[in-house]
């Protein structure tokens, strides 16, 4: 088996939580990018995530935005540099790709079971793309969120939403 160099294609100045936060922000819709949303998705505390996001801002990977109507309300967007980090190959994904199909299937089964248990522990609350949500109205080009009463911007229907409820 080939040995993978941990520094190949990986942002060496990031810890795993910072990398996961960047990956979440790259996939989250514009309504799901607050520190509490990222914390809930990753499974950490709000305080830890606030510090993580501040560190990412100092490194130039994210930008903080405050709402005009409520300066306490903060959201984060990736910078160009942050988006580039997310596009870099992940050594864990590459390692999994080098595993036998049988081991990949066993890993997938184990991870699925673990995620289902975590979902139950979280009160059944899931995360998912807007387009698979019960609140999504796909009759327009970009989509419409019936829960928030807003038209979605181009590409938002493919993003993760904090308010997601799986359509039945």
């Amino acid at each position: 088996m080939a040995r993978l160099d941990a520094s190949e294609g990986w942002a060496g100045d990031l810890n795993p939580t910072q990398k996961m936060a960047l990956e979440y922000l790259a996939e989250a819709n514009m309504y799901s990018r607050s520190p509490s949303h990222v914390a809930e998705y990753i499974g950490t505390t709000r305080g830890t995530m606030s510090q993580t996001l501040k560190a990412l801002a100092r490194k130039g990977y994210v930008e903080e935005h405050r709402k005009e109507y409520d300066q306490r309300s903060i959201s984060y967007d990736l910078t160009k540099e942050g988006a580039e980090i997310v596009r870099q190959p992940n050594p864990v994904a590459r390692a999994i790709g080098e595993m036998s199909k049988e081991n990949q299937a066993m890993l997938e089964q184990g991870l699925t079971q673990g995620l289902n248990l975590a979902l139950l522990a979280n009160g059944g609350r899931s995360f998912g793309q807007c387009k698979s949500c019960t609140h999504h109205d796909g009759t327009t080009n970009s989509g419409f969120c019936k829960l928030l009463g807003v038209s979605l911007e181009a590409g938002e229907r493919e993003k993760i939403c904090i308010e997601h409820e799986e359509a039945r």
Side-chain angles (χ1 to χ4, degrees), residues 1-71:
M1 175 183 264
R3 183 182 177 285
L4 295 175
D5 180 355
S7 65
E8 280 184 45
W10 187 254
D13 67 335
L14 297 179
N15 66 44
T17 302
Q18 292 171 339
K19 178 72 168 151
M20 287 190 320
L22 288 177
E23 289 170 347
Y24 171 79
L25 290 171
E27 295 298 323
N29 70 19
M30 64 183 157
Y31 303 108
S32 303
R33 296 183 187 146
S34 76
S36 62
H37 296 148
V38 184
E40 185 175 345
Y41 183 80
I42 292 175
T44 189
T45 66
R46 290 178 183 193
T48 297
M49 189 48 56
S50 289
Q51 293 307 309
T52 296
L53 292 168
K54 287 178 184 178
L56 289 170
R58 284 191 303 273
K59 293 177 182 188
Y61 297 136
V62 298
E63 292 178 335
E64 179 181 293
H65 300 281
R66 293 189 182 266
K67 305 279 190 239
E68 288 182 27
Y69 59 87
D70 181 359
Q71 289 294 302

